[in-house]
Structures are given as C-alpha cells and as structure tokens.
Amino acid sequence: HAAAAAFAVLAIATSTVQATDLDLARANRAQLEQLRGIGPPLAEAILAERAVRPFADWPDLIARVKGIRESKARQLSAQGLRIYGKPYTP
C-alpha cells in the first residue's frame, strides 16, 4: 500500500509540474486557451506569429502579438508560461 500511495503522490506531483510549466515553443491551442487571459482570438494570434518564426524571448512576443503587453506577460508567466524555459522578467 505504501508503494501505491507513493506512486500516486508522484503522479500528482508530476502532472502538476507539467500543468504549470508550458513552453510557448510547444504549446498548442488548447493548452494556451487554458491559461487565464488567453481566449481563442489571442491563442490564434500567438500561433499565427509563431508559425512565421519562433519567439526569441518575452520582448519579441510582446512586440509581435497585439493584446500581449507587460501586464499580460506577467499574468501568463505567473501561470507557468515560459519562453525557452524562462519566465517573464521586466
């Protein structure tokens, strides 16, 4: 029973890490839309710009996607969105 309990705790911890760390380079529409502040139009804008070329960093995302400014970048970063593993830092 102890092994099963330990496995359950590990599975929960692992799923939590995956849910809170989302890299913009690999995020799909559904994952983006799960973030508070990103609806279908903004998710589409992000994916369209990423298709043109990958985002270099947070300032690049802010410059290229209308609707994402510093306050939105802070909000998304606080929810676990990352660009090349890095959180938003003003």
Side-chain angles (χ1 to χ4, degrees), residues 14-87:
T14 302
S15 67
T16 302
V17 169
Q18 291 170 344
T20 57
D21 254 3
L22 178 62
D23 200 288
L24 193 56
R26 293 183 302 276
N28 63 35
R29 177 188 304 266
Q31 290 169 318
L32 290 173
E33 290 180 13
Q34 287 178 351
L35 296 171
R36 204 171 56 258
I38 296 186
L42 188 53
E44 179 60 35
I46 291 168
L47 294 173
E49 276 298 317
R50 186 179 74 187
V52 173
R53 72 178 184 279
F55 296 104
D57 51 24
W58 284 95
D60 186 34
L61 173 67
I62 291 168
R64 290 171 47 199
V65 179
K66 184 179 178 174
I68 297 187
R69 298 291 166 251
E70 288 187 28
S71 60
K72 177 81 71 178
R74 271 194 297 275
Q75 176 190 14
L76 297 173
S77 181
Q79 295 178 71
L81 189 64
R82 301 291 180 258
I83 296 180
Y84 295 112
K86 296 180 181 176

